[in-house]
Amino acid sequence: MSWIACELHTHTLHSDGRQTLRELAEGAVKLGFGAIALTDHNTMSGLAGKEEIEREFGLTIIPGMEWTTFYGHMVTIGLSEFADWRQGGRSGIDRGIAEVHRLGGIAGLAHPFRIGSPACTGCFWEYEVGDWNAVDYIEVWSGTFPSIRTDNRRAFELWTAKLNAGYRIAAVSGRDWHEQEDTDEPISVTYLEIGEEESAVGGHSDKLPSEERLIRALGQGRACVTIGPLLTMTLEAGGEIWPIGSAVPADLPGTGGTAPEAGEAVRVKLSLDFSVRAELWSLPGQVFKLKLCSNRGEEASLDLPAAENIGRAGYSGEDLRRLEREAELPGSHTAAPRIWLRAELWGTVRGAYTRIAFTNAIYFDSEKEGGGSR
Amino acid sequence: MELLDIQGSAVPEQSRTHIRIPFELQAGADRMQIRFEYAPKILEDREAALDLLKESYERYILPEQREQAIARADRHLPLKNLITLSLDDPNGYRGACHRHDPVQELFVSREAASPGLMSGKLEAGTWIAMLSLHCIVTETCDYRLRIRAVAEEEPA
Ligand SMILES: [Zn+2]
Ligand SMILES: [Zn+2]
């Protein structure tokens, strides 16, 4: 499997961006991205000539459009055709999302808690979503150095609340990138996991990861978000490895599910890859915290002491590109079943103790319903 | 040939509404020329702007952060009107120009179009210009939309 660095929220001068697609692509490659989604406001005209630019820069460009409406901004990606953003009022978004799905795309809430009109027209999510199962993802981190921002904290809490309610929704970051400006703020990356056979053949980059596979990965929640190292996890149960985005069946022993034989410990493998986008980020030396969180709260916390800056030279100044840790969680039981689990990396960045990275969830089917929809 | 010249005046109560303006295009046009403008762009009355912002902070910002938001309200000033134009041909969507420019000279033709609009055949029939009034903050906001069809032999 391989993880592709993606920037999922961008604009060009086809809406209110101040860059061409070429300039955007060039900037994205410089920042180590393997794919971007072009999500201009209410138009897809900026995608003209995308194949040539993809080839020139070795970058996958996912077609998309940001529905820029009166009651919220919704990023839609992976559709080849236009879905009409002008329909319906505050309670009409379900039909809009259904239309995006019909056209092969997926839909996510963009910066749902950014201040709304008149400061930023329609930016605050005011739609009444009828069926949260239909929402594919939430942009929980918006902008640069997103984790410390209050509006993003609210978005992250919204995501967690929806997971707690049993919905299976992915979470991503999006810079809402409008121009090529230099910033020294940490830049967030959403990594999407695609199968080995799906990524570049034989280690050559002559074949780009296809947009369909990236869309499918995001739709299935195979996503990790970070301003530094790539944090991933897998879960071992029933002799099988369960990746991020998967749903572990209830009748499997060792899942911590609600089956009668549950109660067994859950084994989780955590992995931190420091080699990703080498030279493009660094973090000060400190004791980092690696946490496992679920609907039952913070379930485990591991200390990761790093004597020196990490990033450019691996971990703790050693030539360590990758760090693996294992954690064991107690099994859950019928009274308080574990329904989802994610990993988070915490530490102090620019003086603020904050999330540095998080994974999307692994889900646990409950005995009764056998799991959610997407 | 002039297809449309329409003027109107929008008020804040019309925020979050669309104005749908159908017009007929005859066969034989090589280029559609659109001029869209509205004014004023900015709410100059600082006190009025701050009042509007305070109202929106009530709605969008957590209670414990409102005071700080008010203290930093300047980052959201000046408040601006925003009307955007989108276009439909007889078969469907031809794009939108979502940007803040209060005067926009736009065109569509088979080979090319202004950023945001989609080039392609200029099919005869009913087209629709849609004005989306995202936000009107001034007491009134005057808009004007002019659309001309141009045939090649005719000077643009
Ligand atoms: Zn937006
Ligand atoms: Zn945007």
Side-chain angles (χ1 to χ4, degrees):
Chain A
M1 305 297 263
S2 70
W3 292 92
I4 309 295
C6 303
E7 169 53 66
L8 295 171
H9 189 155
T10 68
H11 296 277
T12 67
L13 42 78
H14 283 259
S15 59
D16 60 352
R18 286 165 294 278
Q19 57 192 347
T20 62
L21 184 57
R22 176 176 300 274
E23 288 160 349
L24 169 62
E26 191 177 6
V29 167
K30 269 189 205 144
L31 289 177
F33 289 103
I36 60 169
L38 177 61
T39 53
D40 265 320
H41 299 289
N42 299 338
T43 187
M44 292 169 80
S45 62
L47 289 160
K50 105 176 165 79
E51 288 80 11
E52 193 192 319
I53 292 172
E54 285 181 306
R55 273 195 303 275
E56 182 179 341
F57 292 98
L59 178 79
T60 300
I61 300 171
I62 303 169
M65 186 174 100
E66 180 176 12
W67 283 38
T68 308
T69 78
F70 305 146
Y71 306 108
H73 291 193
M74 182 168 81
V75 268
T76 67
I77 58 174
L79 6 60
S80 46
E81 268 178 82
F82 165 79
D84 205 332
W85 58 277
R86 298 165 297 186
Q87 316 286 332
R90 205 174 293 244
S91 56
I93 200 64
D94 296 80
R95 268 189 303 142
I97 296 173
E99 179 67 1
V100 170
H101 288 161
R102 196 181 67 76
L103 295 169
I106 59 176
L109 276 57
H111 50 69
F113 291 95
R114 186 186 295 173
I115 188 163
S117 300
C120 183
T121 60
C123 288
F124 192 96
W125 186 267
E126 293 174 279
Y127 281 113
E128 295 150 10
V129 176
D131 178 14
W132 280 93
N133 271 319
V135 173
D136 298 286
Y137 63 105
I138 300 174
E139 188 180 85
V140 297
W141 279 5
S142 173
T144 51
F145 200 5
S147 59
I148 59 161
R149 295 160 62 143
T150 312
D151 48 359
N152 290 331
R153 204 148 58 218
R154 293 173 79 185
F156 202 94
E157 281 164 14
L158 170 70
W159 176 47
T160 302
K162 293 303 168 192
L163 294 178
N164 287 344
Y167 298 106
R168 294 177 176 180
I169 300 177
V172 305
S173 64
R175 179 163 171 182
D176 206 351
W177 201 2
H178 280 77
E179 64 186 314
Q180 292 301 311
E181 81 232 284
D182 283 330
T183 175
D184 66 343
E185 294 204 328
I187 285 164
S188 180
V189 178
T190 302
Y191 285 91
L192 297 178
E193 188 186 41
I194 62 176
E196 209 61 78
E197 74 285 355
E198 299 171 343
S199 60
V201 179
H204 298 293
S205 55
D206 52 344
K207 192 163 165 273
L208 300 175
S210 78
E211 55 197 52
E212 292 81 10
R213 280 156 178 159
L214 292 167
I215 293 295
R216 203 179 318 137
L218 177 51
Q220 295 173 354
R222 296 201 301 275
C224 294
V225 181
T226 183
I227 55 169
L230 170 60
L231 169 65
T232 59
M233 75 172 169
T234 54
L235 186 141
E236 286 177 40
E240 282 186 67
I241 307 286
W242 301 91
I244 290 164
S246 64
V248 184
D251 52 6
L252 219 56
T255 61
T258 57
E261 62 271 44
E264 277 182 58
V266 175
R267 276 193 300 155
V268 182
K269 259 203 178 127
L270 295 155
S271 162
L272 274 165
D273 187 343
F274 300 99
S275 68
V276 292
R277 296 175 67 249
E279 307 293 319
L280 289 167
W281 57 271
S282 73
L283 293 165
Q286 60 188 287
V287 179
F288 294 96
K289 297 269 185 202
L290 201 46
K291 298 180 181 186
L292 283 170
C293 304
S294 78
N295 52 302
R296 311 199 307 175
E298 185 183 311
E299 296 214 47
S301 176
L302 311 173
D303 284 354
L304 291 180
E308 296 167 38
N309 281 7
I310 61 166
R312 300 184 203 289
Y315 182 70
S316 251
E318 299 160 44
D319 191 20
L320 181 56
R321 316 277 286 166
R322 199 182 177 90
L323 195 70
E324 310 268 359
R325 286 281 188 278
E326 280 199 20
E328 227 174 56
L329 301 179
S332 68
H333 24 71
T334 323
R338 186 181 289 122
I339 59 175
W340 60 269
L341 181 72
R342 74 168 170 245
E344 300 179 3
L345 179 69
W346 284 73
T348 299
V349 184
R350 317 246 166 139
Y353 183 66
T354 185
R355 271 187 201 90
I356 294 167
F358 61 92
T359 70
N360 271 247
I362 293 177
Y363 302 99
F364 300 91
D365 283 347
S366 80
E367 242 178 311
K368 276 170 255 141
E369 331 122 67
S373 61
R374 311 181 65 82
Chain B
M1 187 174 71
E2 184 157 275
L3 304 178
L4 187 79
D5 185 353
I6 221 168
Q7 297 187 50
S9 187
V11 293
E13 289 68 32
Q14 280 170 284
S15 294
R16 307 191 193 218
T17 61
H18 302 286
I19 299 175
R20 193 173 176 276
I21 307 165
F23 60 95
E24 293 299 319
L25 178 70
Q26 312 291 321
D30 294 306
R31 189 180 163 94
M32 191 183 283
Q33 202 72 50
I34 302 169
R35 185 184 163 92
F36 167 55
E37 59 200 300
Y38 60 95
K41 179 63 188 172
I42 283 169
L43 174 57
E44 304 280 1
D45 182 340
R46 187 183 155 84
E47 288 313 306
L50 285 174
D51 284 347
L52 285 175
L53 274 178
K54 274 179 204 158
E55 235 172 84
S56 81
Y57 294 162
E58 291 278 316
R59 204 167 324 137
Y60 302 123
I61 290 185
L62 292 173
E64 61 268 29
Q65 261 132 12
R66 279 180 204 148
E67 209 172 305
Q68 195 200 0
I70 291 167
R72 296 179 57 214
D74 275 311
R75 75 195 154 130
H76 292 139
L77 294 177
L79 295 185
K80 297 177 199 141
N81 292 327
L82 178 63
I83 306 178
T84 62
L85 174 114
S86 56
L87 192 65
D88 290 75
D89 70 17
N91 300 312
Y93 200 59
R94 288 295 287 264
C97 299
H98 189 98
R99 54 185 78 101
H100 264 282
D101 310 48
V103 179
Q104 297 183 23
E105 290 276 6
L106 309 164
F107 80 96
V108 200
S109 74
R110 179 185 280 276
E111 298 76 26
S114 299
L117 300 178
M118 283 174 300
S119 60
K121 191 165 183 262
L122 296 188
E123 193 152 329
T126 306
W127 287 57
I128 297 158
M130 188 92 94
L131 300 184
S132 299
L133 282 56
H134 295 268
C135 193
I136 304 295
V137 287
T138 55
E139 260 172 58
T140 59
C141 176
D142 298 326
Y143 59 85
R144 182 172 185 189
L145 176 66
R146 276 175 286 179
I147 303 181
R148 290 163 42 81
V150 182
E152 225 120 65
E153 53 271 25
E154 194 185 333

